[in-house]
Amino acid sequence: MTNPNAVVSDTQSAIAMAITAAVNSPSLFSRTNITLFPRNKFPVTTKNIETAGKNIAWVEAMRASSPTRKSSQDNEDKKAWIMKHPSALGMFEEIMSAAKTKQVVIFLDYDGTLSPIVENPDQAYMDPEMRKAVKNVAKCFPTAIVSGRCRAKVCNFVRLSELYYAGSHGMDIKGPSSRKHQQGNQNVLCQPAKEFLPMMAEVYKILIEKTKDIVGANVENNKFCLSIHYRCVKEQSWSDLAQKVKSVLKNYPKLKLTQGRMVLEIRPTIKWDKGRAIEFLMESLGYTNSKDVLPIYIGDDRTDEDAFKVLRKQGQGFGILVSKIPKETEAVYSLQEPLEVMYFLQRLVAWKRSTLHSHERV
Ligand SMILES: O=P(O)(O)OC[C@H]1O[C@H](O[C@H]2O[C@H](CO)[C@@H](O)[C@H](O)[C@H]2O)[C@H](O)[C@@H](O)[C@@H]1O
């Protein structure tokens, strides 16, 4: 079940994507003539994780076949993908022409979108220039950070009190602590998985104990969800790690397992995700069923797909996927990396200022 045409940027991505492929439906590989990394079909079941373990040999095979230099087929695939999901920078004028009479609302994922992916999750700092860009965006438009991290942690990285924050994949939402925006209900607080808190704390302790012998494994407590990082775990121990996580989950049927970038995530089985979180935020801002709003969501991870899907379904606004490689996505546009996200945010601010000036001139 190898995918010799897969477009990979580096070995780690190749392995991560292979694990993803193993836990998701392998048949998705051949769904289009563009080679894509499948990103959907949640939740990852414990049975599928087992399959992933058994597929480590397959993962190795994929690694061996990962091109160190891009082939011309890879380039063709990328071109085709970019045609389908054009650069949000390249399409900026077109995007903003749709925004002229509308209220733009900005939703931003954190890791891989505002900060580069790094080995140590505690060191995923945001560049000061990026912080400035987000701050300026928040002066122009209601702005929310929607992250898998617990709210306190992501607030601490971003350090902008004028934003809305949705932590734990949207299960912990709070309005701005400063009063710089008068729009919507700023006292918003939403914690749909509150009853799971004692359970999450309990499972966190068990996971720490269970995984302590796996070198490089890192269990992160994100309050309403738990992240088990395997970025620094040797590939031969991945199966062992997945088995251990699975054995813990057996006793907690109200929890489910999902997957992000080199991370397994445990969450309550409630119907709540980043998509529901942005619906909730739009409602709090007073934009439910409004035709005069243009929500823009920028994210890099599979969990962001839930938000992209909501925007597609509503036929309002659009998602922008941050990725250097072709991936299956519900996003309309793409940006390659956090640096491009920053340029996009800066252009948004310049656009807003120019529209204000042109109104003044009239
Ligand atoms: O929704 P996000 O804000 O993108 O958060 C998703 C997860 O991000 C973090 O993990 C990811 O970034 C780390 C730092 O760059 C990287 O080491 C890790 O491999 C990535 O999966 C965060 O640590 C998780 O808790 C979030 O769920």
Side-chain angles (χ1 to χ4, degrees), residues 292-308:
D292 299 327
V293 63
L294 188 93
I296 300 178
Y297 187 107
I298 312 182
D300 72 311
D301 210 347
R302 285 187 296 150
T303 57
D304 300 310
E305 292 295 330
D306 296 318
F308 297 153

Side-chain angles (χ1 to χ4, degrees), residues 203-223:
V203 175
Y204 173 65
K205 279 194 204 144
I206 299 172
L207 280 172
I208 292 275
E209 185 54 32
K210 276 260 180 194
T211 60
K212 68 173 192 246
D213 296 331
I214 300 188
V215 179
N218 176 3
V219 186
E220 190 182 2
N221 189 345
N222 281 320
K223 198 167 172 179

Side-chain angles (χ1 to χ4, degrees), residues 100-118:
K100 266 185 195 139
T101 55
K102 299 191 176 179
Q103 170 66 60
V104 173
V105 179
I106 302 293
F107 296 104
L108 301 165
D109 166 57
Y110 184 72
D111 289 278
T113 298
L114 296 182
S115 69
I117 293 293
V118 292

